[in-house]
Amino acid sequence: NFEFQTDYSSNFFLSDGGQNQSELLSPGTYSVEELVPDGWELTSASCSDQSDPSSISLGAGETVTCTFTNTQQGKIIVEKQTDPDGSQQGFEFATDYSSNFSLTDGQQNDSGFLSPGTYSVSETVPAGWDLTSAICSDQSDPSAISVQAGETVTCTFTNTQLFGGITVVKQTDPDASEQSFEFDPSWGENFTLTDGQSENSGPLLPGTYSVAEVNLPANWSLTSATCSDESPVSEISLDADESITCTF
């Protein structure tokens, strides 16, 4: 129901398709105004004689019809989920419809009423976490959320905490050699090490990884390549919160 106030009658209410007809009025200028309820916007208000509804010029014997069209607004709900469940880590979100906000696991942010249109929301992923998924209930991409009239779209961002890591250690015989050795890891870019040096992967998701020594320098042979968890270097099985050292 939409409430209207006029200068020719008491207030009245109309729902979609409803009409209100004034009593017979003397020629003159009259006004009618809609009190727009929350969650709606007044899309158009036009009169059949081209008058503005705030100044309707009624001639002798004339019937003027004024049509008010409203469009229901929508909402965007952003929901935060984490793995592991119950994390107190805060995640910051930026949107083009509000100021930035922060959520922890299980929390939600309600945009409030929005005009139908296209909006975006993105997450700043903190160190030690991976954005596993970001999906919206209407199948929109979070960077282009299509909000229709009266629609509430829920976008769920799920982050998985990165655990553990893999450290590659270089040893040579004879000791203290300055020869560089190149490594090719499955989790990142190639790197080089000399005797006694090490390279850490940083936090990784649980899973299977590999690292290989490549482009072996002339006059050197690979004597051994072992990992602290007894995984082969070609198939390193990293569990949650596990740190593995592989020594070449």
Side-chain angles (χ1 to χ4, degrees), residues 166 168 184-188 208-212 232-237 248:
I166 299 171
V168 177
D184 180 11
S186 63
W187 60 83
T208 302
Y209 300 90
S210 67
V211 59
V233 293
S234 61
E235 193 174 352
I236 306 167
S237 179
F248 287 74

Side-chain angles (χ1 to χ4, degrees), residues 7 13 16 22 42-44 82 84 94 98 102 130 134 152 197 224 231:
D7 60 1
F13 289 85
D16 185 45
S22 70
L42 180 59
T43 310
S44 68
T82 64
S98 73
S102 182
D130 183 58
T152 296
Q197 291 186 328
S224 69
S231 293

Side-chain angles (χ1 to χ4, degrees), residues 76-84 86-95 97-111 121-126 129 131 153-159:
I76 296 174
I77 306 295
V78 177
E79 180 179 305
K80 178 77 252 164
Q81 293 294 330
T82 64
D83 181 12
S87 172
Q88 295 303 303
Q89 173 70 51
F91 296 81
E92 185 177 4
F93 292 85
T95 78
Y97 55 80
S98 73
S99 56
N100 288 16
F101 55 87
S102 182
L103 298 175
T104 59
D105 183 47
Q107 291 186 327
Q108 293 184 338
N109 175 272
D110 186 329
S111 66
V121 57
S122 62
E123 178 188 87
T124 301
V125 182
W129 290 83
L131 179 59
V153 180
T154 299
C155 295
T156 303
F157 286 73
T158 301
N159 292 74

Side-chain angles (χ1 to χ4, degrees), residues 147-185:
V147 178
Q148 304 300 311
E151 181 183 26
T152 296
V153 180
T154 299
C155 295
T156 303
F157 286 73
T158 301
N159 292 74
T160 300
Q161 190 170 11
L162 300 171
F163 291 106
I166 299 171
T167 299
V168 177
V169 176
K170 181 71 233 174
Q171 294 293 332
T172 64
D173 182 12
D175 196 34
S177 171
E178 294 183 359
Q179 175 67 56
S180 292
F181 296 82
E182 184 179 359
F183 293 86
D184 180 11

